[in-house]
């Protein structure tokens, strides 16, 4: 799995769960320590989607996904309604 693939999946996991331990990320993606450090750096410093908590957990700070957020209902105005005949 490429770094980008792990980053995408780890971001989705973190967003869905809200918090993920570094141990869980290592187990889920079979990461070594260097890979985990690169992943943490990308999520925390570069993407700014998470913060470190006590050196053991990533906490999601990014915005909710557009796919998850409901779309606003279209506004219906009196001008756009058909007039009765």
């Amino acid at each position: 799995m490429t770094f980008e693939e792990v980053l995408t999946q780890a971001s989705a996991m973190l967003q869905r769960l809200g918090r993920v331990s570094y141990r869980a990320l290592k187990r889920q993606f079979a990461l070594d320590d260097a890979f985990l450090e690169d992943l943490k750096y990308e999520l925390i410093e570069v993407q700014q989607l998470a913060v470190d908590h006590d050196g053991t957990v990533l906490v999601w700070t990014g915005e909710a996904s557009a796919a998850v957020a409901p779309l606003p209902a279209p506004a219906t105005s009196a001008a756009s309604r058909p007039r009765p005949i």
Side-chain angles (χ1 to χ4, degrees):
M1 198 180 294
T2 67
F3 180 80
E4 186 175 356
E5 290 169 330
V6 172
L7 177 62
T8 299
Q9 290 183 24
S11 296
M13 180 180 176
L14 181 58
Q15 182 180 11
R16 186 176 66 254
L17 299 175
R19 305 169 63 90
V20 178
S21 72
Y22 297 134
R23 292 176 67 159
L25 289 171
K26 286 179 80 170
R27 170 119 11 220
Q28 178 72 24
F29 301 107
L31 307 179
D32 62 21
D33 290 336
F35 199 115
L36 179 62
E37 288 303 313
D38 292 344
L39 183 62
K40 286 168 39 179
Y41 184 80
E42 187 69 22
L43 289 168
I44 295 169
E45 302 297 332
V46 178
Q47 303 288 328
Q48 298 182 348
L49 296 175
V51 294
D52 177 86
H53 180 73
D54 291 336
T56 59
V57 176
L58 278 177
V59 179
W60 177 258
T61 60
E63 295 182 18
S65 168
V68 175
L71 296 174
T76 306
S77 68
S80 65
R81 288 187 208 135
R83 291 189 168 152
I85 300 178

